Amino acid sequence: MNITELISPQRVVARLGTTSKKRALEQLAELLAGHAPSLTPEEIFDSLIGRERLGSTGLGQGVALPHGRLAGLTEPLGAFASLDPAIDFDAIDHQPVDLMFALLVPAESTDEHLQILADLARRFSDKGFTEDLRHAATGEELYQRFLTQDARQRESA
């Protein structure tokens, strides 16, 4: 799977200024809703926050992968934001989060959902990759780093 199959340059934001987990999820929901006309930002936010209530999706090392499944969605959809400043996300290592990748999948896509999450978690555990993301100043720079990461994945496969 290529990360760039899930995101687009319009759904990648650098240095998003937000002060809380809730507000960060709202902003990611707005980004996602702009590219999923059948869904509202409120529906997306409800899905993301509902999952967070089951347990934090903060993986540690400053990374969070909020995610949810929604009826009415026909294919997986993602959005990414680097945050400045980092926020408390109840992460497993109790460290603040500054990299967030939000993922939505169709309600019936349980296996695909888990496969995508596993791939994203593996990629975001690469310290070199996350440091590259942290040094990007614009959404376009972030998106280019995802393109580069996808190319590396294809070469190593």
Side-chain angles (χ1 to χ4, degrees):
M1 178 215 54
N2 291 325
I3 291 177
T4 51
E5 292 173 11
L6 299 171
I7 60 174
S8 69
Q10 298 79 19
R11 292 191 309 273
V12 176
V13 177
R15 304 193 177 166
L16 182 66
T18 192
T19 56
S20 71
K21 179 180 187 174
K22 179 180 182 259
R23 184 64 190 131
L25 292 172
E26 288 171 341
Q27 289 172 293
L28 285 168
E30 290 166 15
L31 270 179
L32 288 161
H35 300 277
S38 64
L39 300 171
T40 67
E42 294 78 19
E43 290 173 303
I44 295 169
F45 172 76
D46 288 346
S47 177
L48 296 175
I49 200 74
R51 171 56 188 84
E52 287 301 317
R53 287 185 184 116
L54 298 175
S56 177
T57 58
L59 301 180
Q61 299 178 2
V63 176
L65 297 177
H67 55 276
R69 291 188 287 167
L70 283 168
L73 194 62
T74 58
E75 61 186 12
L77 187 65
F80 178 82
S82 64
L83 308 178
D84 188 17
I87 59 169
D88 179 27
F89 209 84
D90 301 316
I92 194 166
D93 63 357
H94 307 289
Q95 296 302 306
V97 163
D98 66 343
L99 301 174
M100 290 182 66
F101 191 104
L103 174 68
L104 297 176
V105 297
E108 65 280 355
S109 297
T110 304
D111 290 341
E112 183 180 27
H113 185 185
L114 295 175
Q115 289 170 2
I116 293 170
L117 284 174
D119 185 54
L120 290 170
R122 183 180 46 74
R123 289 182 190 228
F124 283 106
S125 69
D126 177 340
K127 290 182 192 260
F129 177 55
T130 56
E131 283 308 307
D132 281 349
L133 294 173
R134 288 184 172 105
H135 289 100
T138 66
E140 182 57 36
E141 286 180 31
L142 284 168
Y143 190 75
Q144 288 301 318
R145 284 166 169 81
F146 284 117
L147 287 171
T148 300
Q149 172 74 352
D150 282 348
R152 286 186 190 137
Q153 287 294 118
R154 284 191 299 276
E155 289 172 6
S156 68

